[in-house]
């Protein structure tokens, strides 16, 4: 039987370096001592106090259908959080609770793009972006951000791609580059959206992981709250990746329609997960800082090691749990270097090529293993690059 083009064409042809991730996983599963610096998952689990809240909620009876757009209490808490951080008036009518940020990315594109519409996104990009855009029948259009600009996108490049497009997806703090977009970058993005009548989809799932600079939500820029959908998640801020809990914040009309999408797809997020999420948000920024702290420590370890060599060029990441390293001095591609590192030292990193064309010749290192092990692996990585570049 023939399947739809939409599902068979959703993910591009395999390649671009994800094979390396699967190879490393297979080696680790076979018992080899692989240091996995690949995906963005904390090396800690969800805090026991959050799990206790989840347990209390489930045992207290929250195991039936929950409100599909989210419980009033959680929507209120998210609205309050967003308003406090951005100054933009936000109520529960602006908030849809979703099963994670990924679901919110899908919902945002579903709400803004029709069949065949051009949907812009920035390259380097988080792996699911093009597939998410194709999943709603739209056409993914990458706009490159360059290493020499510290991976901040240029407004002129966005303006050149904008005519006829429906939406622009941006992500700051950025996965995979660690860039935190400056006020000037965000002003440029907002200007392009206003000039070309684009929806802005702002993926802010790393907003609690900022090491340098300040996170600014573009929804707070002049005239932007009516055309911005903000993706949020508790995966990274509260180490709740497996709980699948996030949100979309945007204009009331959009959120109203999107509640229908929730009814016709997920039928909402389990009530006991929503209760646990509410409890987690109520713990305030202290818990969030505690969860983010290991990444700041490992960033410092990496910068210290990088300061004593000159084969690898790297911009200190301003946010998120990754570092992008320029390994072009080795004469290898990101894929070639990552394969060499895995084969010779059992250290797995992501080739830059997995995240688009712009980060070719780079590798992405996730700051997601315990400090001493991270320091040892990172030193080996740097020594390996040094030997190749010599
Ligand atoms: N957006 C970015 C940039 C990410 O890196 C991720 C996960 O790694 C997500 C969205 C989706 O996260 P989740 O669906 O777990 O909230």
């Amino acid at each position: 039987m023939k399947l739809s083009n939409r599902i068979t064409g959703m993910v591009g042809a395999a390649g671009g370096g994800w094979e390396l991730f699967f190879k490393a996983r297979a080696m680790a599963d076979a018992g080899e001592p692989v240091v996995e610096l690949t995906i963005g998952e904390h090396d800690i689990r969800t805090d026991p106090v959050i799990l206790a809240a989840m347990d209390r909620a489930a045992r207290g009876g929250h195991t039936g259908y929950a409100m599909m757009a989210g419980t009033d209490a959680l929507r209120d808490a998210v609205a309050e959080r967003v308003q406090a951080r951005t100054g933009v008036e936000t109520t529960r009518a602006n908030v849809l609770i979703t099963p994670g940020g990924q679901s919110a990315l899908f919902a945002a594109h579903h709400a803004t793009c029709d069949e065949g519409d051009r949907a812009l996104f920035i390259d380097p990009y988080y792996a699911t972006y093009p597939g998410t855009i194709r999943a709603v029948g739209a056409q993914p259009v990458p706009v490159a951000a360059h290493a020499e600009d510290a991976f901040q996108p240029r407004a002129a490049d966005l303006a050149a791609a904008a005519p006829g497009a429906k939406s622009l997806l941006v992500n700051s703090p950025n996965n995979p580059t660690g860039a935190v977009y400056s006020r000037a970058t965000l002003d440029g993005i907002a200007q392009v959206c206003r000039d070309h009548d684009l929806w802005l989809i702002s993926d802010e799932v790393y907003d609690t992981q900022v090491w340098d600079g300040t996170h600014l939500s573009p929804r707070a820029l002049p005239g932007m709250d009516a055309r911005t959908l903000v993706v949020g998640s508790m995966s990274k801020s509260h180490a709740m990746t497996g709980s699948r809990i996030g949100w979309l914040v945007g204009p009331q009309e959009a959120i109203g329609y999107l509640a229908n999408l929730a009814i016709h797809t997920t039928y909402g997020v389990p009530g006991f997960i929503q209760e646990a999420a509410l409890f987690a948000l109520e713990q305030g920024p202290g818990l969030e800082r505690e969860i983010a702290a290991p990444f700041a420590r490992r960033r410092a370890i990496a910068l210290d090691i990088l300061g004593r060599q000159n084969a690898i060029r790297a911009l200190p990441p301003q946010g998120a749990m990754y570092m992008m390293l320029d390994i072009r001095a080795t004469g290898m591609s990101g894929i070639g270097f990552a394969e060499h590192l895995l084969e010779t030292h059992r250290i797995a990193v992501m080739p830059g090529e997995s995240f688009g064309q712009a980060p070719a010749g780079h590798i992405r290192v996730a700051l997601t293993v315990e400090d001493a092990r991270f320091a040892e692996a990172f030193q080996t990585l740097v020594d390996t690059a040094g030997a190749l570049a010599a």
Side-chain angles (χ1 to χ4, degrees):
M1 287 297 290
K2 177 154 174 11
L3 292 163
S4 72
N5 294 334
R6 186 173 288 181
I7 192 73
T8 56
M10 198 176 107
V11 180
W18 281 91
E19 300 87 340
L20 187 126
F21 167 72
F22 293 120
K23 189 168 159 187
R25 243 321 129 81
M27 286 163 83
D29 289 347
E32 293 201 44
V34 179
V35 184
E36 290 192 72
L37 305 175
T38 47
I39 57 169
E41 175 119 52
H42 314 67
D43 49 324
I44 53 160
R45 301 286 86 186
T46 304
D47 196 293
V49 295
I50 300 176
L51 296 180
M54 201 181 288
D55 182 68
R56 271 196 308 278
R59 289 179 198 282
H62 289 277
T63 52
Y65 293 126
M67 289 301 289
M68 281 76 86
T71 62
D72 287 351
L74 183 58
R75 292 172 84 191
D76 286 346
V78 171
E80 201 179 301
R81 175 187 181 88
V82 169
Q83 180 166 322
R85 287 170 171 229
T86 62
V88 182
E89 193 188 338
T90 309
T91 71
R92 92 170 58 135
N94 301 110
V95 180
L96 177 79
I97 301 301
T98 62
Q102 180 54 45
S103 176
L105 283 164
F106 176 84
H109 285 95
H110 197 76
T112 54
C113 293
D114 281 312
E115 195 71 32
D117 279 344
R118 285 158 51 85
L120 311 182
F121 66 104
I122 314 293
D123 171 357
Y125 54 84
Y126 171 53
T128 68
Y129 283 2
T132 304
I133 291 168
R134 285 191 211 101
V136 306
Q139 185 195 339
V141 179
V143 179
H146 305 282
E148 62 267 29
D149 297 332
F151 293 112
Q152 304 263 336
R154 295 180 194 158
D157 294 344
L158 293 169
K166 271 285 173 62
S167 60
L168 166 61
L169 167 58
V170 299
N171 167 224
S172 175
N174 187 267
N175 174 15
T177 65
V180 171
Y181 288 178
S182 66
R183 173 74 199 227
T185 298
L186 290 167
D187 279 339
I189 287 169
Q191 190 64 49
V192 171
C193 290
R194 288 188 301 256
D195 288 351
H196 296 271
D197 200 20
L198 300 184
W199 280 97
L200 180 62
I201 300 170
S202 179
D203 178 344
E204 303 180 17
V205 304
Y206 293 99
D207 67 349
T208 61
Q209 298 178 6
V210 179
W211 323 125
D212 182 17
T214 314
H215 170 68
L216 265 175
S217 176
R219 179 169 174 260
L221 296 177
M224 291 305 291
D225 63 332
R227 59 171 72 251
T228 304
L229 292 164
V230 176
V231 173
S233 171
M234 301 196 57
S235 286
K236 315 293 176 177
S237 59
H238 292 81
M240 291 181 73
T241 48
S243 291
R244 311 311 303 132
I245 178 90
W247 55 78
L248 194 63
V249 169
Q252 191 171 333
E253 185 194 17
I255 297 300
Y257 279 112
L258 279 162
N260 289 334
L261 181 68
I263 292 169
H264 291 85
T265 52
T266 60
Y267 218 70
V269 174
F272 55 92
I273 302 280
Q274 296 199 55
E275 291 267 324
L278 177 61
F279 172 87
L281 290 179
E282 284 168 354
Q283 303 316 296
L287 179 61
E288 293 163 29
R289 273 199 294 272
E290 218 177 281
I291 290 164
F295 307 121
R297 284 201 311 270
R298 293 164 199 161
R299 171 186 183 273
I301 291 170
L303 291 179
D304 183 47
I305 294 173
L306 287 170
R308 289 185 260 112
Q309 60 84 54
N310 47 27
I312 292 177
R313 287 177 23 174
L315 296 161
Q318 296 168 287
M321 49 171 82
Y322 315 96
M323 281 189 88
M324 195 65 126
L325 307 180
D326 180 344
I327 50 86
R328 283 176 285 187
T330 64
M332 288 182 138
S333 66
I335 296 176
F337 183 81
E339 273 174 359
H340 178 71
L341 198 63
L342 183 63
E343 289 300 329
T344 53
H345 295 292
R346 300 292 185 260
I347 297 170
V349 297
M350 292 302 291
E353 291 84 354
S354 315
F355 306 102
Q357 311 262 312
H362 289 68
I363 54 168
R364 189 196 73 174
V365 176
L367 309 171
T368 49
V369 300
E370 173 277 318
D371 296 19
R373 207 160 160 247
F374 176 78
E376 193 184 332
F378 199 82
Q379 184 67 60
T380 304
L381 182 161
V382 165
D383 292 345
T384 305
L388 288 164

